[in-house]
Every structure is written in C-alpha cells, then in structure tokens.
Amino acid sequence: MTQAARIPFFQLAPANLQAMIALSASVKKSSLGVRLVELINLRVSQLNGCGVCVDMHWRDLIKQGAEPRHLNAVSGWREAPFFSALERAALNWAEAVNALPHKHPSDADFAELKEHFTDNEIAELSYAIAAIRGWNVINASLHNQIPEVPAPGF
C-alpha cells in the first residue's frame, strides 16, 4: 500500500455513517433490482478511482452469479456485448451524471434513459448514483484501503 487511511471514518460520525448506510440499503431495495444497482456502483467507483468500492461491488456481483468476464468489461461496456439496452442506458446515465460539474448530461442522454426507465426509476437511479458517488468521495479522499480480508457482510 502506498497510502494509509487518514482517519478511521467508520468509527466516527455514527449518525452520518448510518444515514449513508440507510441510503445505500434503500437504493438496493428500489425497483431497479440489485444487479443493476451493483453494476452502476461498480462503474461509478471505477470512474472515481475508489478501490474499496470497486472491490466490494465486484465481489457482490460475483456472489449474485455474474460472470467475471462480463464484470471485467464494465469499464469498456460500450464495446462489450454483455449488456442489455437497459443496462447500457443506465451505465451511460451514470457516467454522464458522475461527470458533473465538468460536463452535464445531454438531452440525448436523458432521451435514451427515458426509453428504458419510468420517471420513478430515473429518480431511483439518480439516488443510486448519488449514493455511490458519496461513498467514493469519502473512501478516496480519506484513503480508505481495500482490506485483504473483507469484513463480514461486505
């Protein structure tokens, strides 16, 4: 490891931590389905360089029965044949939203999303993106490290 964790944030600010955990849990219970949420979590975490989250969400998708080859292609999803039109629309939207404030989702991005998702699902997807981006910011800025042995439940 090249960097040590800056602070033990999982042991600090318990009310904030519980709120983030609750948001993440609610997103997984949304109408989007756990697999799609985890694909979004994996892709946004890749974009944000959050090793802890990449590791966690990759492992979760493997537990769900995802093929390792398909997951390895998430970073190049546009060229991979493994993703449905709905997953592609969600991945595109996740990348567009994650690019804020440097780039804004276009009308074309939103139109593609509307072809596959209801307004309620778009709201749920947006919460999912916000939740994982929040975890990425916390983990990456505080140098939270990928554990050699994951904690139970993670």
Side-chain angles (χ1 to χ4, degrees):
M1 284 187 236
T2 59
Q3 300 175 342
R6 289 181 163 154
I7 60 173
F9 83 89
F10 280 118
Q11 300 164 9
L12 305 168
N16 302 87
L17 176 62
Q18 290 307 311
M20 286 289 292
I21 291 170
L23 175 58
S24 295
S26 73
V27 165
K28 285 188 178 185
K29 292 177 185 172
S30 73
S31 65
L32 300 172
V34 177
R35 178 182 162 78
L36 183 60
V37 169
E38 289 299 340
L39 279 175
I40 296 308
N41 287 346
L42 179 58
R43 183 62 186 134
V44 171
S45 297
Q46 290 171 336
L47 291 167
N48 292 329
C50 182
V52 170
C53 291
V54 167
D55 178 65
M56 179 187 307
H57 300 296
W58 184 89
R59 284 185 291 106
D60 194 40
L61 283 157
I62 290 293
K63 286 179 193 173
Q64 292 178 36
E67 292 290 325
R69 185 169 177 233
H70 297 187
L71 299 183
N72 288 338
V74 169
S75 65
W77 63 268
R78 286 176 179 82
E79 293 80 29
F82 311 121
F83 305 100
S84 69
L86 181 136
E87 290 169 333
R88 290 175 183 284
L91 289 165
N92 185 65
W93 186 248
E95 288 184 2
V97 170
N98 191 65
L100 286 166
H102 306 291
K103 182 181 173 193
H104 291 267
S106 70
D107 290 342
D109 293 328
F110 190 73
E112 179 185 357
L113 194 66
K114 288 285 287 182
E115 289 179 26
H116 301 282
F117 293 94
T118 66
D119 288 351
N120 190 70
E121 290 168 332
I122 292 170
E124 290 175 332
L125 182 59
S126 298
Y127 278 112
I129 296 163
I132 192 58
R133 191 170 177 183
W135 284 115
N136 294 164
V137 166
I138 293 166
N139 282 311
S141 66
L142 297 177
H143 298 174
N144 197 18
Q145 301 294 304
I146 300 171
E148 284 191 42
V149 178
F154 283 94

